[in-house]
Amino acid sequence: MITTDFVPGSPCWIDLGAPDVPAAAAFYGAVLGWEYEPMDTGEEGAGDEGMEGGMFRKDGKIVAGLGKLTEEGARSAWMIYYSVADADATTRAVEQGGGTVRVAPRDLGEWGRMAQYTDPQGGQFAAWQPGSDTGIELVDEPGSLSWTELYTTDAAAAKEFYGSVFGWTYGDMGLPGGGGTYSLITPAGLPEERMQGGLMEMPKEHLTLADGKPYWHPVFAVADCDAAVATVREQGGTVQMGPEDAEGVGRLAVCVDPAGADFVVLTPVGPPAQG
């Protein structure tokens, strides 16, 4: 489960880069019940055209960020940030492990210090060194982050890389129907019940969203997976897989928003854990 104590190596923030900020805000508002709070642009009369980003809230608590996609050639996607004690040390570990630095460590006011990276296989992720802001305020409840997942072309290499960067430990389980192996991720030094995500190997031809490159995506808890999927379709999104039941996990579906960003909705078995 994901909690909000955000030990090193745990997911602590997510944000979406979208080509159309108001459209993304409307879509996720409908699907996940989020309220969008635009940043103050400081431009008089900016109006909707000036909304370059802001925060999503659920029940008044921050659950994600939203920003205008500005990187040329980039696809719309969710970025997952992992909490670290020292962003500069993490950057060195990424480089030593064969990864690359997309955004060098930089301060964001008093809130904290961030950096963005690409793993050796091509998966993008980020780090957050907390200052006054430790991260999102609601997790593991309907309408919030409950899991993170990496689709990669080389699971063994990915496990070695992220283990060297974050100290993660792994537990492997076989997928039903001979579907391969799913590796469960736990932060360093924590028991298995604090598992926060997973990774699985997939052939390049199955990774069509990212032109064959690995990618991370968030899993959001929802009260009713089928209802959420129906809303995804009503709002112009698509469904890559599901809804289907995963034994011991819950009912889930892999979805894609109208701009092409992927995410998973999951109704977990039993009541969601308190974050």
Side-chain angles (χ1 to χ4, degrees):
M1 65 176 183
I2 294 175
T3 70
T4 53
D5 62 358
F6 301 136
V7 298
S10 63
C12 65
W13 182 258
I14 51 172
D15 61 36
L16 174 66
D20 185 331
V21 167
F27 175 83
Y28 287 96
V31 173
L32 297 173
W34 287 353
E35 301 93 32
Y36 177 60
E37 182 180 284
M39 290 184 297
D40 183 0
T41 62
E43 298 176 17
E44 189 174 341
D48 287 350
E49 294 299 313
M51 289 200 309
E52 292 300 306
M55 304 293 180
F56 283 118
R57 292 183 182 269
K58 174 72 172 177
D59 300 329
K61 296 181 178 180
I62 295 173
V63 289
L66 172 62
K68 179 85 170 178
L69 184 67
T70 57
E71 186 177 343
E72 189 173 346
R75 78 178 184 100
S76 182
W78 284 95
M79 179 69 72
I80 301 172
Y81 291 72
Y82 294 92
S83 187
V84 298
D86 185 333
D88 295 277
T90 299
T91 298
R92 290 191 292 272
V94 165
E95 293 177 321
Q96 289 166 4
T100 55
V101 179
R102 298 183 64 248
V103 178
R106 66 184 188 193
D107 292 324
L108 297 181
E110 64 180 18
W111 297 295
R113 191 165 170 79
M114 63 82 72
Q116 294 184 356
Y117 312 107
T118 303
D119 72 27
Q121 286 70 51
Q124 296 182 359
F125 67 105
W128 179 253
Q129 178 185 326
S132 61
D133 190 341
T134 58
I136 51 180
E137 299 170 349
L138 185 72
V139 295
D140 254 4
E141 293 188 26
S144 68
L145 183 70
S146 65
W147 193 252
T148 62
E149 196 166 62
L150 172 66
Y151 292 165
T152 182
T153 50
D154 190 334
K159 287 163 70 174
E160 182 177 353
F161 171 77
Y162 288 101
S164 70
V165 172
F166 293 125
W168 289 346
T169 57
Y170 305 97
D172 292 344
M173 58 179 282
L175 293 170
T181 301
Y182 193 88
S183 297
L184 300 160
I185 299 167
T186 304
L190 292 186
E192 283 189 2
E193 51 262 34
R194 286 292 301 274
M195 290 183 300
Q196 64 189 28
L199 64 85
M200 62 183 294
E201 187 169 313
M202 300 181 74
K204 282 185 176 182
E205 55 267 26
H206 289 184
L207 302 177
T208 54
L209 287 177
D211 296 325
K213 293 181 181 178
Y215 54 88
W216 285 94
H217 58 209
V219 178
F220 298 117
V222 293
D224 185 332
C225 179
D226 292 77
V229 165
T231 306
V232 165
R233 291 187 167 122
E234 289 167 4
Q235 297 294 320
T238 57
V239 179
Q240 282 194 310
M241 184 193 80
E244 64 182 42
D245 295 314
E247 186 177 354
V249 177
R251 190 161 175 80
L252 58 85
V254 182
C255 304
V256 181
D257 73 19
D262 55 300
F263 62 100
V264 175
V265 290
L266 166 69
T267 302
V269 289
Q274 297 298 310

